[in-house]
Every structure is written in structure tokens, then in C-alpha cells.
Amino acid sequence: MSNSKLSKPENLQVLYEDNHLIVVNKRPGDIVQGDKTGDTPLSEVVKIYLKKKHNKPGNVYLGVVHRLDRPTSGIVVFAKTSKALPRLNKLFSEGKTKKTYWAVVKEIPKETSASLMHWLVRNQKQNKSYAHSKEVPNSKKAILEYQVIKKLDNYGLLEIDLKTGRHHQIRAQLAAIGSTIKGDLKYGADRSNKNGSIHLHSRELAFQHPIRKEEINFKAPPPNDPIWNACL
């Protein structure tokens, strides 16, 4: 993934900010939290952005609430206060968020809309999840609903309503029905995308504001590339 296309403080796509949280549109290739690669995580980029924007001396508080896979794009929420972080963590862990994703697939599912239920087993070593049609040892139930919302010349656009938040859930479940996401080599795509991304995007997110208690809703534009642009 070329570094020129990653998020930096000066090109950060901020969707929303208030005293308690900041919501950004993650580019494919951004890593949300630091890992063994040592690459600068999005959380650090957001901290530098906030420090500059608000002329803050000293350290900036920022809490990571949830993650998106590195090759995917879309909405990521960070907490700006220690009051908001545990409340946001609770909302996400209890599934009190409405998450909508877009996925571009080569093989369009036969049914234009359906609910998928699998039991996923995560292989830590391979960093991959395997979908099973019935419960097996160490598996977690995974549910999503999809709808085909656009047909392009060679691809289809699916809108996905995520009901559970499992490791690589959308990627594994779509692959299990033969509709691998474009560019997703790990789950059976025949070729990668040039920039190492996959065509999976966290499009919309709604939840109750952790402090004000009102419903808030965010929508993120997908990355600027010919296929995503054809989906709009």
C-alpha cells in the first residue's frame, strides 16, 4: 500500500467532531491501532490532527472504540474523553449500533436479498475466519443481511446490515456463498486490487451519543476509484 494514499493530519477525512468524539472516514491501508508492522496508526494521525487544530499543549487523549480491517475503508469512531470511551465501548460491545456496509462482489448472489447465518471459527495464526453452516467447537454465531442494490458491468454492489461483529465476518460470510469481495485474495478473490485494498466500505453508522443520549448518524463516501464511483 503506497503511503501517499494513507491518512495524514493534513488530509484526514473528518466526518464529525464534538467535545467527546471524533468520527473519521478511514482510507484503505490505514491501520486503526498500532501493531507489529510499526506503521503509524490512524489513532496517532487523529491525535496529531487534534493537537494542531486545537493548539493543545502536552498529550491529546484519544480512545480507540472499534476497528476496521486494514484493507477496508469507512467510518471509524474515536473517543476524545475518558467519560465517553467506556460508554462508547459498551454500545459497540453490546451491539447497540446500526452498521451498514457496502461490498463490491464479482459473483452476484442468486437471491437479491437474504439473511446469512454462519458459525465462524477464527484462526489467529492465519488471521482468517472460517464460516461453517452449523455450530462447531470454538465457533461464534455470525448474522448479516444483504441486499443487491446495484449491478455494474462486471460486479454487483451489496448493502449489508451487520447484525453481529465478528472477525472478518462480512468477508468470510460472503466468500462462503461464493460472492468474494473484489480484491480480497485472503478469501478467494482471483486478483488483488493494485493498492492492496478490498472493496468493502463501512458506509453508515448510527448510535446513541454517549453523553447527550440522542441518536446520531454518519455516512461516509467510499474511496475515489472508478468502481466505487460507478456505485454512487
Side-chain angles (χ1 to χ4, degrees):
M1 183 77 65
S2 76
N3 287 333
S4 61
K5 293 279 189 272
L6 300 179
S7 293
K8 301 179 185 73
E10 54 276 10
N11 69 7
L12 193 66
Q13 299 178 63
V14 179
L15 299 170
Y16 175 84
E17 186 192 345
D18 65 19
N19 290 336
H20 294 283
L21 51 110
I22 180 166
V23 182
V24 302
N25 187 10
K26 167 181 144 30
R27 290 175 168 86
D30 289 340
I31 186 163
V32 175
Q33 211 170 6
D35 72 353
K36 58 182 184 294
T37 60
D39 295 343
T40 305
L42 190 57
S43 53
E44 280 306 309
V45 173
V46 176
K47 274 186 183 178
I48 297 163
Y49 167 85
L50 291 171
K51 195 176 169 67
K52 283 182 179 165
K53 183 183 172 184
H54 302 292
N55 294 319
K56 281 186 180 280
N59 288 333
V60 171
Y61 179 90
L62 194 77
V64 176
V65 176
H66 65 123
R67 297 187 189 99
L68 281 184
D69 299 341
R70 187 164 192 170
T72 62
S73 55
I75 301 169
V76 181
V77 179
F78 294 98
K80 284 175 60 183
T81 62
S82 53
K83 186 178 181 181
L85 182 62
R87 296 181 184 188
L88 284 165
N89 283 340
K90 195 165 187 278
L91 284 174
F92 277 80
S93 68
E94 291 177 356
K96 291 180 179 165
T97 56
K98 186 174 178 350
K99 298 175 181 173
T100 307
Y101 282 77
W102 276 6
V104 174
V105 298
K106 198 162 187 183
E107 300 293 331
I108 300 171
K110 287 179 184 64
E111 293 178 70
T112 50
S113 66
S115 178
L116 302 182
M117 183 165 77
H118 292 91
W119 277 263
L120 298 189
V121 178
R122 181 176 180 177
N123 182 316
Q124 297 271 11
K125 228 190 215 141
Q126 293 177 311
N127 188 31
K128 187 173 175 179
S129 287
Y130 290 86
H132 299 264
S133 55
K134 53 182 192 294
E135 200 168 354
V136 296
N138 304 317
S139 62
K140 289 181 172 173
K141 190 192 250 183
I143 302 168
L144 64 78
E145 289 171 4
Y146 76 79
Q147 199 175 352
V148 179
I149 57 169
K150 195 156 191 177
K151 288 183 179 177
L152 309 172
D153 292 344
N154 300 309
Y155 301 99
L157 174 64
L158 309 187
E159 186 163 273
I160 292 148
D161 184 3
L162 198 58
K163 301 297 187 188
T164 52
R166 306 297 182 205
H167 174 259
H168 289 185
Q169 178 179 338
I170 298 172
R171 299 166 68 179
Q173 284 197 275
L174 290 182
I177 62 162
S179 296
T180 299
I181 294 167
K182 183 182 182 308
D184 199 357
L185 286 182
K186 181 167 272 193
Y187 287 93
D190 52 6
R191 63 174 70 161
S192 59
N193 289 338
K194 277 198 183 78
N195 64 356
S197 70
I198 63 173
H199 275 72
L200 177 62
H201 178 70
S202 173
R203 171 68 172 162
E204 214 169 327
L205 180 64
F207 55 88
Q208 193 185 59
H209 192 285
I211 311 300
R212 297 201 306 269
K213 301 298 184 208
E214 68 202 36
E215 270 293 307
I216 49 177
N217 186 307
F218 309 103
K219 203 178 247 190
N224 179 13
D225 80 32
I227 289 175
W228 279 127
N229 293 345
C231 293
L232 293 169

